[in-house]
Amino acid sequence: MVEGHPAVRFRDVVFRWPGAGRPCIDIPAFELARGDQVFLQGPSGSGKSTLLSLVGGVVLPERGGITVLGVPMERLGAQARDRHRAAHIGFIFQLFNLIPYLSGLDNIVLPCRFSQQRARRAQPSPREEALRLAGCLDLDSHTLRRPAAELSVGQQQRVAAARALIGRPELIIADEPTSALDAGRQRVFLDLLLEQCAEAGSSLLFVSHDERLASRFPSALRLDEINRAGCFA
Amino acid sequence: MRAPLWHLAWRSLANRSLTVALTVLAVAISVAMLLGVERLRQDAREGFARTVSGTDLIVGARSGPVQLLLYSIFHLGDATNNVSWRSLQSIAAHPQVAWLVPLSLGDTHRGFRVVGTSRAFFEHYRHGRGRTLAFEQGRAFDGVFEAVVGAEVAARHGYVPGQRIVVSHGAGGLGSAEHDDRPFTITGVLARSGTPVDRSVLVSLEAIEAIHLNWSGGVRMPGLDLPAERIERFDLTPKAVTAALVGLKSRTAVFSVQRHVNDFRDEPLLAILPGATLQQLWSMLAIAERALLAVSALVVVAGLAALVAVMVAGLNERRRELAILRALGAGPGRIFVLLALESQFIAVLGCATGLALVHTGILVGAPWLEARFGLELQAGWPGSSEWRMLAFVLLAAAVASLVPGWRAWRQSLAEGMTIRI
C-alpha cells in the first residue's frame, strides 16, 4: 500500500446481483482522495449499499477495477479481501450497528479482535484506545459496560462510530448513520465523526439520502450522477 | 485468531441463556438415557455373572438350561419338576464329585423365597471372585425350625437373631396358606452379597419336609395337627429337591460328570455349566439389549435434531449480527465456525450435564433398584464403553453442528453485509 494512492478508485465498474437482469452499478469513474471527507447523496435504490459492499470487497464487480487504498480488489481472494476490510475500513451503518450481546466496550474493540493490524495501531492498548474514543464521543464508562441492546439509539451510533475509528483505519464508510437521530443529535454526531476522522487521518465516505447534510462536508457528490445504472427491484 | 470466536460464541450463548439451557437439557436427557441404559445393562450383566462362582455344575430336572439356571440361582420362575433324593445321592457318590448342595424351593416368607438347603451351602456357595457368604449376626441354622435370613430380608423387616417368623406355602400373598403352626427361629443374618441370597430365607431341607408333613395338595389336612416335638420323630429325609449345586474334585472332569447326569437312567436330569448357560442367556437377551440401545440412540438423534433446529431457527434473528460481523472483517468461514462452535458448545455442555444426570440418578436410585430388583449399580467413573458412547455422541454432534454453520455460511455469502431491517 503506497501513500499517495487514492483511498478508493472505481474504473468502469459494472456490477449485477446474482439473478438480477440489469446491472445495479455502472460507474465509469469515481475517486475518493486520501484524507478527504466526501458526502455521497443518493435516494434509496440508487445503489448505495451495493457500492459500499463493492468498496468493502464483500462482492466483486462483473467488469472494471476497484482499487481500495492502492490494492486492486479483483486481485485478492475472498479471505484476503475480508482481511483487507478488517484492517483498513471502519463501517458505520444506519441502525442496529452493534452485536447485541456484547457490551458497548466489547463492541468497540471487536475490530481489533478480527485484525491484528487494527489491534497494533490501537495505542497503547485496544481497551484504552476504546475508552479514549468513547470519551471523545461523549460516552461514559458506565454506558460502555452495559449490553449494547440496552443503549439508546444515539448511544449506539456513537459506539458504532468509536468501533469504526478504533485502530485508525485509513477509510471510514458511513451508511446513513444519522437517519435514526433527531436533528439536534444528527448535528452533534456529525461534528464528532468529522472531527475524529480528521484527527485519525481517515478518509470518510458518508452516504445519505439527506442532502441537507451535504453542506457540512468539504466535497459532495450525487450517486445518480456517477452511477449510470440503478438498483430498483 | 481463534480467541475472538470463542469469546463471541460464549457471549452469544450467554445472551440466549434460556433457549440454550433448554436445548442443553434436551441433549442432556437424551445422553443420560443412552448412558443409563448402557450402565444398567453392564451392571445387570456383572451382577448376574457375580452371582454364582465356584459351582461347577447345577443339576435339576430335565428342562431348558437357561430355565434351570434362572430358577435355581436367580429365583426367577419355577421348576417344572423335582429331582429325587435317591438320584442326588447317586450323583453325590460319583468319584469326581467333591460336594453337592441340594436346594429346595417353593415356599415364601413375606414375598421372599424360602430356600431349603444343607449347612454345606454356607461353605460352598460362592459369589464374586470366590467369596463365601458371611454372617452379619448369629450363625447357621442347626435345628429343624431354625432359619437364616438374607441381608435384604433382615433390613426390610428389621429381623435379628432370636425372632420368630412364619413361612407361607407357595408364592405367598392374600389367601395363601400359612405354615403358622410351625414358626421358625432366626439364628443368623447374612451380610449383603449382592446376590439373590440377600432376598432369601434359608432353612434346612428337613424343615421343608417337616412343615409339609400334614399337608396334602397344597392345603393343610384338617384334624391332623402335629406338635413340633413329635415331628422330630418322623423321618425328615426329603423325597425330592428342586436342584443341586455340584462341585468337582477336578474341573477337567466337568464334561464327563455332566454327561453322566444327562444320561442318568432312573429319571430325566439335566446338568449345566453356570458360566456357559449365562452366556446362552446373554445371547438370548442380546436382541432386547440392542433394541433398548437403538431406542436410546434414536432419542439422542432427536436431542441433536432439537439442537440443530434451535440454532437454525435463531439464524433468522441473527441476520443483522452476522452482517455486522462480515463488515468487521469476518469471512464466511469465520461465520461458519462461530455457529458450529456455538452448536458444539451446547452439545458438549449437554453431554456433561447428561453424564452428571446419570451419576446423580445412580446415586439416588441405586438403593431402590437394589432393594426392588436386586440390581446393584456402580456409581463411579464412566467405563470405556460409556466413554466410547460419549465420544460417539460428540462426534454426531460435531456433524450436526455443521448444519447451522453451513446455513450461516450460505446466508452470509448471499447477503454479504447488506443489512435488511
Side-chain angles (χ1 to χ4, degrees):
Chain A
M1 206 173 327
V2 187
E3 295 290 331
H5 276 289
V8 179
R9 176 162 51 190
F10 276 47
R11 279 282 175 277
D12 300 317
V13 171
V14 176
F15 176 79
R16 187 193 321 252
W17 282 105
R22 293 179 301 125
C24 164
I25 293 283
D26 181 0
I27 298 177
F30 166 66
E31 228 174 82
L32 173 65
R34 275 293 174 105
D36 202 359
Q37 300 180 327
V38 171
F39 179 82
L40 189 60
Q41 192 262 324
S44 62
S46 58
K48 281 180 301 184
S49 300
T50 309
L51 180 82
L52 300 185
S53 290
L54 284 166
V55 176
V58 175
V59 290
L60 279 179
E62 196 175 300
R63 277 191 282 123
I66 298 172
T67 316
V68 179
L69 301 161
V71 177
M73 287 291 108
E74 64 273 14
R75 295 229 195 112
L76 299 182
Q79 276 193 15
R81 278 181 277 133
D82 289 331
R83 274 201 299 275
H84 185 262
R85 178 169 69 253
H88 304 294
I89 308 177
F91 279 94
I92 312 170
F93 296 108
Q94 183 176 357
L95 250 186
F96 310 120
N97 266 295
L98 308 181
I99 305 296
Y101 47 80
L102 296 181
S103 70
L105 189 62
D106 280 340
N107 263 286
I108 296 176
V109 298
L110 205 50
C112 298
R113 291 178 181 275
F114 280 110
S115 162
Q116 290 186 0
Q117 278 195 51
R118 291 279 287 273
R120 269 201 305 276
R121 278 182 293 179
Q123 289 299 331
S125 74
R127 230 181 141 72
E128 283 173 65
E129 170 72 348
L131 289 170
R132 187 191 68 78
L133 280 168
C136 295
L137 290 161
D138 277 337
L139 291 161
D140 58 62
S141 59
H142 172 71
T143 311
L144 290 181
R145 275 197 300 273
R146 290 168 61 197
E150 290 174 16
L151 303 181
S152 74
V153 178
Q155 287 169 333
Q156 287 190 24
Q157 293 307 78
R158 277 177 283 153
V159 168
R163 187 179 63 193
L165 286 160
I166 197 166
R168 297 172 184 269
E170 291 87 342
L171 178 60
I172 304 283
I173 293 178
D175 184 6
E176 303 259 19
T178 58
S179 63
L181 306 175
D182 58 49
R185 286 175 185 284
Q186 265 187 6
R187 204 175 46 76
V188 174
F189 180 82
L190 214 53
D191 284 344
L192 286 169
L193 181 63
L194 288 168
E195 187 188 312
Q196 291 301 319
C197 283
E199 191 174 307
S202 308
S203 318
L204 172 64
L205 182 59
F206 190 102
V207 187
S208 173
H209 69 282
D210 189 351
E211 50 198 323
R212 286 171 305 170
L213 301 173
S215 60
R216 309 288 311 279
F217 289 81
S219 47
L221 278 170
R222 287 175 59 91
L223 185 54
D224 49 7
E225 282 173 2
I226 59 168
N227 185 13
R228 293 190 300 205
C231 295
F232 300 98
Chain B
M1 285 297 278
R2 278 285 173 276
L5 287 185
W6 271 113
H7 176 76
L8 278 178
W10 169 246
R11 297 302 298 270
S12 154
L13 289 174
N15 185 52
R16 291 172 291 141
S17 51
L18 180 66
T19 319
V20 170
L22 289 175
T23 316
V24 165
L25 191 68
V27 175
I29 289 174
S30 68
V31 168
M33 179 166 169
L34 183 70
L35 294 182
V37 163
E38 173 64 9
R39 180 49 77 95
L40 222 55
R41 190 179 75 90
Q42 276 187 359
D43 285 354
R45 274 191 179 217
E46 206 173 300
F48 266 65
R50 249 199 342 238
T51 295
V52 56
S53 74
T55 296
D56 295 313
L57 287 170
I58 299 171
V59 174
R62 189 164 299 166
S63 56
V66 171
Q67 194 192 356
L68 173 57
L69 179 77
L70 286 179
Y71 70 68
S72 62
I73 299 293
F74 298 104
H75 302 174
L76 295 169
D78 292 292
T80 44
N81 236 322
N82 283 340
V83 184
S84 76
W85 187 247
R86 246 199 8 236
S87 305
L88 269 196
Q89 291 303 105
S90 154
I91 291 165
H94 189 280
Q96 279 296 330
V97 172
W99 53 265
L100 186 145
V101 175
L103 299 170
S104 188
L105 304 165
D107 287 340
T108 58
H109 167 68
R110 296 170 105 168
F112 293 110
R113 291 270 187 159
V114 170
V115 181
T117 184
S118 65
R119 281 172 64 98
F121 183 81
F122 299 108
E123 185 189 338
H124 294 300
Y125 179 81
R126 301 287 164 93
H127 61 94
R129 293 210 176 96
R131 287 170 56 196
T132 51
L133 295 167
F135 278 89
E136 183 82 43
Q137 299 175 55
R139 52 166 180 84
F141 51 77
D142 203 8
V144 174
F145 292 108
E146 290 183 345
V148 168
V149 294
E152 186 56 40
V153 183
R156 181 84 63 87
H157 299 298
Y159 289 154
V160 289
Q163 258 176 297
R164 305 187 77 153
I165 56 172
V166 166
V167 169
S168 313
H169 192 73
L174 267 183
S176 77
E178 301 270 348
H179 296 287
D180 50 4
D181 52 338
R182 318 220 194 289
F184 284 82
T185 305
I186 297 174
T187 59
V189 173
L190 290 170
R192 201 170 277 279
S193 62
T195 67
V197 176
D198 290 348
R199 295 180 304 285
S200 308
V201 174
L202 303 166
V203 299
S204 64
L205 283 175
E206 291 76 21
I208 298 286
E209 208 53 34
I211 54 178
H212 294 104
L213 269 180
N214 50 342
W215 284 57
S216 178
V219 289
R220 204 186 300 171
M221 292 190 284
L224 230 174
D225 282 343
L226 282 169
E229 60 274 11
R230 273 188 57 201
I231 282 177
E232 312 274 348
R233 278 187 256 146
F234 281 79
D235 175 19
L236 293 176
T237 309
K239 283 151 205 75
V241 297
T242 314
L245 309 179
V246 176
L248 302 179
K249 286 176 182 146
S250 157
R251 288 228 63 184
T252 50
V254 70
F255 291 109
S256 75
V257 177
Q258 183 185 30
R259 204 163 41 244
H260 168 74
V261 173
N262 287 343
D263 295 343
F264 209 73
R265 259 173 286 108
D266 297 353
E267 62 182 315
L269 294 180
L270 174 70
I272 57 167
L273 282 72
T277 308
L278 215 48
Q279 283 306 320
Q280 215 176 332
L281 179 64
W282 296 144
S283 59
M284 280 166 63
L285 293 178
I287 297 168
E289 283 181 352
R290 243 175 271 151
L292 210 56
L293 269 183
V295 170
S296 318
L298 280 179
V299 174
V300 170
V301 170
L304 292 180
L307 162 63
V308 171
V310 164
M311 291 304 294
V312 169
L315 270 186
N316 218 13
E317 297 161 25
R318 298 177 68 185
R319 289 209 138 127
R320 295 195 56 88
E321 181 195 325
L322 300 184
I324 293 164
L325 290 176
R326 286 286 280 137
L328 292 177
R334 288 283 191 89
I335 302 287
F336 176 96
V337 173
L338 175 68
L339 269 287
L341 215 56
E342 285 186 24
S343 313
Q344 188 65 21
F345 193 85
I346 293 180
V348 169
L349 214 59
C351 283
T353 313
L355 197 60
L357 226 55
V358 171
H359 284 264
T360 319
I362 288 172
L363 281 179
V364 172
W368 179 81
L369 271 175
E370 184 167 0
R372 193 67 200 272
F373 301 106
L375 206 60
E376 209 177 334
L377 290 185
Q378 309 287 314
W381 202 239
S384 63
S385 76
E386 283 163 276
W387 285 125
R388 240 197 334 271
M389 280 184 165
L390 269 181
F392 173 76
V393 171
L394 284 174
L395 193 73
V399 173
S401 300
L402 300 182
V403 177
W406 173 72
R407 289 290 302 242
W409 179 73
R410 281 214 5 201
Q411 188 172 302
S412 65
L413 267 189
E415 294 177 7
M417 45 176 230
T418 332
I419 291 180
R420 291 174 191 169
I421 300 166

